[in-house]
Amino acid sequence: MSFKAEFKLEKLKFKHDSIEDFYTLRCCGVSNHLWLLRLLFALYALAILIHSAVAFHTQYWAIFLTQWGHVVSTIYLCTGSALSIYYTFQKSNIIVSNKADFELSSPVTDMHDKVVFREISVSNMVPKKVCFFWLVANMSYVIGGLIIILYWGFVHQDHFLDGADAEFANINLHGVVYGLVVIDFLLSGIPIRILHGVYPVLFGLTYGVFSAIFTLSTKRAIYPVLKWHTHAIQALIFSLMALGVVIVVQIFFYGAHRLKRRVRSRTMTMP
């Protein structure tokens, strides 16, 4: 598929020819244990979410972009775990869809010589639950990357947490959990579309508006670089720069996805 084709409006939709890319491992010749990894990742992300809420000791826990992004990442890992378990452990290994857009193909033999059925798409539209997961996945990759760049590049010297839990929380919220998200991206075959970058952009715009309203109403800046009440132009410029980073990260993951597919196709064709 050409790069120009990625900019067709049709690419805004969530169409893909196989939902197996969303719930199975796509590396190392293994295809049925992603559910376990995702379950472990999801439990860890949930634990960090609870820990950060407890460690913050303030009603303002939810105003930070870090927390917004971490919630998205946790939803992504939990939803991915649920989908992988759902599709992996269906009875008789037959994937049944409630959508007329899908039908069962003829039986095929997997790497363990076990007869299974694969779900193929007639209209390339995936089920709604998979669409939601796809949306959250893309948001998690891009918003998480944005948070890592902004935090370690601009605000990591400003301590928002005090006490012994500060370092542990910061490392996990601004590194470890996103590392789990990236590992999941590398192991799965979730497709990346350039035009899907519009969704994290909307997410970023929503947070920008929220931060402006919060700061103007409380006269308290969420971040030193977002002082809307005293340095509105600076805050606006920084916000626009952040949206630019979102676009760059989206393109980066698109390229990483294409590279991953190419490497996998070459690996599969090797004798």
Side-chain angles (χ1 to χ4, degrees), residues 9-65:
L9 291 180
E10 187 73 9
K11 292 296 183 179
L12 278 173
K13 299 179 181 179
F14 293 89
K15 291 186 175 183
H16 193 55
D17 57 3
S18 174
I19 63 171
E20 289 183 344
D21 287 335
F22 296 91
Y23 69 89
T24 59
L25 282 168
R26 289 308 199 194
C27 70
C28 309
V30 184
S31 62
N32 61 347
H33 297 297
L34 184 59
W35 69 269
L36 179 58
L37 284 174
R38 281 181 168 170
L39 180 60
L40 294 175
F41 290 174
L43 291 174
Y44 188 85
L46 278 171
I48 296 302
L49 182 65
I50 296 172
H51 173 268
S52 66
V54 173
F56 215 85
H57 301 300
T58 176
Q59 60 181 331
Y60 294 114
W61 173 84
I63 68 174
F64 295 100
L65 180 62

Side-chain angles (χ1 to χ4, degrees), residues 12 41 66 80 82 101 125 151 160 162 196 211 236 257 259:
L12 278 173
F41 290 174
T66 294
D101 291 332
M125 289 298 295
Y151 178 79
F160 300 103
D162 296 318
H196 283 183
S211 68
L236 178 60
H257 170 66
L259 178 61

